[in-house]
Amino acid sequence: MKKLFWLHIKKSAGQSTRKALKPHYIEVDRSKPQSFIQSKEYEYNDILNNYRTPLGDYQFKRSLFAKNFLFKEEWDSIFSFAFSREPIDRCLSMFYYLFWSGLKSRFYSSLKSRKILLNDSYAFDYFLELIMKNQNINSYPENMHFTTHTNPMWNDITDNNDNILLSKVFRLENFREGIDYALTMIDKKSSNRDLTKVNSNQRRGSFNPSISQIKKIQKIYKKDFDLYESINF
């Protein structure tokens, strides 16, 4: 049986994927960082998918970290995959998740400190500014939640030469087919399972970005758009 590696791209059906991959994917307590050294190899995947786990220079290059350190001798024989969510939809989901995650959130507090009347359009502009300003910054633990969730997918699935390290990338709307394909690759008896409806982290608001805001998203996530459009399955 082949080993499985799934990279959780934030705001791309993480809960549904974990559930669908059982028992091949083992979950750990993600409420706190867990040491790789003190863990079993079958726990590595979920530890890596926890944004709280410090990875130093590899914080935004998780597939490369897995290849270079966790599964160095067997990476090429592992079936590795991820789901790509349409970038604008993912960005809006990030926005509502990070903005409404609590009145004590760093993002919300930054806006309140400006003493302005909050509205979705203004907040979204500020949100995009923060993404551009804080990309690839992990110096402050309180920022890690924001930067890891808004990190472009392309960074996480490639090496330093922009080579994709995963065996397969599926579009999120093909969730059922993707899960079935992945399970078939590691265990043919696991295919054709009865999967529950995917939880695609539906965004909470009805706000639609303006043309100028869409252009900003396209600039920030250019390679994610290119990746998404290149996927046939």
Side-chain angles (χ1 to χ4, degrees), residues 24 126 143 155 163 206-207 222:
H24 303 286
Y126 185 56
N143 280 343
N155 293 344
N163 297 306
S206 57
F207 164 71
K222 181 183 184 304

Side-chain angles (χ1 to χ4, degrees), residues 4-17:
L4 177 78
F5 175 84
W6 160 63
L7 187 71
H8 177 203
I9 305 302
K10 301 301 185 283
K11 312 315 297 172
S12 301
Q15 293 180 12
S16 296
T17 307

Side-chain angles (χ1 to χ4, degrees), residues 77-220:
S77 65
I78 294 174
F79 181 76
S80 53
F81 77 103
F83 286 105
S84 172
R85 185 172 182 175
E86 196 281 322
I88 294 177
D89 193 41
R90 179 180 173 232
C91 192
L92 287 167
S93 182
M94 293 178 210
F95 166 63
Y96 279 104
Y97 169 72
L98 292 167
F99 181 71
W100 298 112
S101 59
L103 300 184
K104 295 181 180 180
S105 72
R106 187 180 184 86
F107 177 42
Y108 186 91
S109 297
S110 296
L111 284 171
K112 289 293 288 183
S113 68
R114 294 189 172 195
K115 297 181 180 179
I116 58 172
L117 179 64
L118 296 182
N119 63 71
D120 283 353
S121 184
Y122 183 93
F124 192 64
D125 270 327
Y126 185 56
F127 174 69
L128 295 177
E129 288 178 22
L130 285 179
I131 294 177
M132 290 185 283
K133 181 180 178 181
N134 292 289
Q135 277 189 325
N136 299 322
I137 295 177
N138 63 350
S139 302
Y140 304 97
E142 64 267 29
N143 280 343
M144 199 175 291
H145 185 246
F146 183 92
T147 55
T148 54
H149 276 71
T150 58
N151 183 42
M153 177 179 182
W154 184 259
N155 293 344
D156 260 338
I157 69 170
T158 57
D159 62 16
N160 293 323
N161 295 314
D162 271 355
N163 297 306
I164 295 177
L165 299 175
L166 302 181
S167 308
K168 196 79 174 174
V169 177
F170 305 98
R171 284 190 176 190
L172 185 59
E173 58 261 37
N174 295 327
F175 176 79
R176 292 170 182 266
E177 295 86 348
I179 290 293
D180 193 59
Y181 185 96
L183 292 177
T184 301
M185 289 298 295
I186 63 169
D187 181 5
K188 294 187 181 300
K189 295 179 181 178
S190 295
S191 62
N192 299 315
R193 299 174 66 185
D194 182 22
L195 300 177
T196 56
K197 185 177 180 181
V198 58
N199 174 15
S200 58
N201 300 303
Q202 300 270 335
R203 53 189 172 102
R204 303 179 190 184
S206 57
F207 164 71
N208 290 311
S210 66
I211 293 175
S212 63
Q213 289 169 335
I214 289 175
K215 287 182 178 178
K216 289 180 183 178
I217 298 172
Q218 291 171 334
K219 182 178 180 180
I220 297 170

